[in-house]
Amino acid sequence: MSTSTEPPPTTFSLSNLSLKLDTAAHLSPHIAPLLTTPPPPITTLLLNGNTLGVPACEALAPVLRSLSTLQTANLADIFTSRLLAEIPPALSALLTALLACPSLHTIDLSDNAFGLNTVAPLVAFLKAHVPLRHLILNNNGLGPHAGALIAEALEELAARKEEARRAGREVPNLETIVCGRNRLESGSMAAWARALRRHPGVRVVRMTQNGIRQEGIATLLREGLKGCEALDVLDLQDNTFTMVGSRALAGVVSGWKGLRELGVGDCLLGGKGSATVFGALSRGDNKALRTLRLQFDEVNGRALEELVRAVKGGGLEGLRRVELNGNRFTEDDERVVELREALEERREAAGEKEGEEWGIDELEDMESEEDEDEEDEDDEKDREEDAEQEEKEMKAESMLKVADQEENAPVAETNDAEVDELADALQKTI
């Protein structure tokens, strides 16, 4: 009679047990399965939803270092109730150990406080961990300064990846960046644009609810995401676009041929802004797009007509799902009916069942349609806003040109006697 043995488990989980692990003694009973020789072939480690003190993290570090097969680490929400001063040494112990895991490609550090005073260990890890493919940072309280440091770390990571490739190593692209609810604001967008420009193979970018204003959105899109031609998912919901951001999106969206999901809900596109985006989508460069999220965007009937034209005219032949709740038309608007019928025909032709991946969402919170005068006023405000933004961009470009000229200008040599005299004067002040 033959016997079979079950393969060893590849997932180790303490997920959401609400354990308070202050010391090595508190920790060791819970991680006994990881302490075997040789170490178990763990590929997924789930420690999220517990709270770890500095001694516990220091005791866990050598265990993590031994997990050579580890691919995914979920360290979300592991510092609840910890003092601010505890987080950097605890985080440093964990992330330094994980640098030794050659197969680790996914890390989730959401729901931990990584403000300016605690972000340093994460920055060091991101700069150095060449195997990284998927980074998840939701609700970390970064703010624009710490957010910029994260972006700069990712920019350096791109350089490290390139160095490794030149050395003959097989190195994956950074494919996923999730950084939502982090108050990144417009102030960090130049840094994020540079980082994204260095990672053109990124496929998923989710930066929701970050307080990014229209000028920051325009920078992110035009100077960063424009070059990410492999993009599958872009979710920028709950930031502010207005006409400035809408025009920027319309100008770059055609470059994302494989885009499947676009989330710009609760972004104040406005009637004219949303019509501009729909006009760009109607050109036929985004036929792979399946899901379009547009809730609470002040989309009006005239803009909706542009969307219907894009869907029925073939520009969005792959579209399956549109989220439109909270906009400025009625549920029984003829254009809504047209759109719903067009998507229903597609579902039936595909032979698929009804579900949330098809059709239009429930239109429960619609606003009244704006009259023509009010719409004209909105358009005038949009034009003024555009003019102001263009003026800012022209000034910035002019300043850059002046700076370049000054940097490249020949520098006059200073008389040696003057240098000696200055050095003597400085020496007297010491």
Side-chain angles (χ1 to χ4, degrees):
M1 182 178 176
S2 62
T3 59
S4 61
T5 58
E6 293 185 4
T10 58
T11 297
F12 176 80
S13 178
L14 298 177
S15 179
N16 293 318
L17 295 182
S18 300
L19 301 173
K20 191 172 188 295
L21 307 175
D22 297 327
T23 66
H26 293 155
L27 175 73
S28 45
H30 299 285
I31 61 168
L34 301 179
L35 302 178
T36 60
T37 304
I42 296 298
T43 60
T44 302
L45 178 72
L46 308 177
L47 299 179
N48 55 298
N50 300 287
T51 177
L52 281 65
V54 176
C57 290
E58 290 173 343
L60 182 59
V63 179
L64 297 180
R65 197 176 290 113
S66 71
L67 300 178
S68 60
T69 57
L70 186 64
Q71 298 177 19
T72 299
N74 189 337
L75 305 179
D77 190 19
I78 59 169
F79 296 125
T80 298
S81 79
R82 299 295 168 182
L83 297 174
L84 198 63
E86 292 182 85
I87 296 177
L91 185 63
S92 181
L94 298 178
L95 294 184
T96 302
L98 289 175
L99 283 174
C101 299
S103 301
L104 178 67
H105 56 65
T106 301
I107 189 162
D108 186 347
L109 287 158
S110 301
D111 302 313
N112 293 306
F114 294 151
L116 196 56
N117 295 324
T118 55
V119 76
L122 177 56
V123 168
F125 173 82
L126 294 178
K127 287 180 178 180
H129 194 61
V130 172
L132 188 65
R133 289 171 54 196
H134 309 289
L135 174 64
I136 304 170
L137 294 172
N138 263 325
N139 190 34
N140 298 107
L142 291 174
H145 298 298
L149 292 176
I150 296 294
E152 290 165 4
L154 293 177
E155 188 177 3
E156 185 162 334
L157 175 65
R160 297 284 180 90
K161 284 178 178 282
E162 290 170 6
E163 289 173 7
R165 290 187 185 109
R166 286 195 296 268
R169 290 172 56 188
E170 189 173 335
V171 175
N173 290 327
L174 180 64
E175 298 178 22
T176 302
I177 299 174
V178 178
C179 193
R181 296 185 64 193
N182 269 309
R183 298 185 298 105
L184 296 179
E185 301 177 5
S186 297
S188 69
M189 287 303 101
W192 278 100
R194 290 193 301 270
L196 287 163
R197 195 161 59 238
R198 294 296 304 275
H199 292 281
V202 71
R203 303 181 71 87
V204 176
V205 175
R206 297 187 185 275
M207 300 177 71
T208 61
Q209 200 174 343
N210 272 306
I212 308 169
R213 302 284 295 173
Q214 57 267 31
E215 64 276 4
I217 289 291
T219 296
L220 183 69
L221 290 167
R222 289 176 175 151
E223 299 179 22
L225 287 165
K226 179 181 180 180
C228 300
E229 296 183 354
L231 207 59
D232 285 336
V233 176
L234 176 61
D235 193 349
L236 295 175
Q237 293 183 95
D238 202 2
N239 292 292
T240 302
F241 272 57
T242 70
M243 188 61 198
V244 172
S246 300
R247 181 173 289 175
L249 177 58
V252 302
V253 71
S254 62
W256 306 325
K257 308 296 184 188
L259 188 69
R260 294 180 297 104
E261 178 183 331
L262 177 61
V264 288
D266 202 10
C267 286
L268 292 177
L269 299 185
K272 185 181 176 185
S274 55
T276 301
V277 173
F278 301 155
L281 292 174
S282 70
R283 296 173 194 149
D285 296 311
N286 303 101
K287 293 185 177 182
L289 189 65
R290 291 190 172 193
T291 303
L292 187 55
R293 306 191 193 281
L294 297 159
Q295 293 187 341
F296 298 96
D297 264 330
E298 299 186 359
V299 179
N300 59 21
R302 284 188 289 181
L304 183 61
E305 194 169 327
E306 288 287 339
L307 178 58
V308 172
R309 188 178 295 116
V311 172
K312 299 185 72 173
L316 291 175
E317 64 181 30
L319 194 66
R320 298 181 172 192
R321 173 75 171 178
V322 184
E323 295 181 359
L324 287 168
N325 187 37
N327 284 297
R328 293 181 172 176
F329 45 83
T330 62
E331 184 179 0
D332 56 358
D333 187 297
E334 62 181 16
R335 291 156 293 200
V336 174
V337 174
E338 260 190 286
L339 182 58
R340 183 177 282 115
E341 289 176 349
L343 297 178
E344 180 67 13
E345 287 174 8
R346 287 184 184 177
R347 183 188 64 77
E348 291 176 352
E352 297 199 15
K353 297 179 180 180
E354 293 183 7
E356 290 188 358
E357 68 273 14
W358 285 95
I360 298 175
D361 58 332
E362 294 292 329
L363 304 182
E364 300 174 340
D365 304 298
M366 308 306 289
E367 297 182 23
S368 60
E369 289 192 81
E370 300 293 318
D371 60 33
E372 293 295 324
D373 291 339
E374 192 164 343
E375 183 69 23
D376 290 342
E377 289 178 8
D378 289 343
D379 287 349
E380 181 62 31
K381 289 178 182 178
D382 286 336
R383 285 191 289 271
E384 292 175 0
E385 197 171 51
D386 286 346
E388 290 177 5
Q389 181 65 19
E390 287 174 7
E391 184 179 354
K392 288 179 182 178
E393 290 174 358
M394 289 176 64
K395 285 182 179 179
E397 187 175 351
S398 176
M399 290 173 67
L400 285 173
K401 286 181 180 179
V402 171
D404 288 340
Q405 290 171 357
E406 291 178 351
E407 184 176 352
N408 295 324
V411 180
E413 295 184 4
T414 305
N415 184 281
D416 288 343
E418 291 180 2
V419 173
D420 292 340
E421 184 178 340
L422 179 60
D424 288 341
L426 290 172
Q427 186 66 33
K428 291 175 183 177
T429 64
I430 299 176

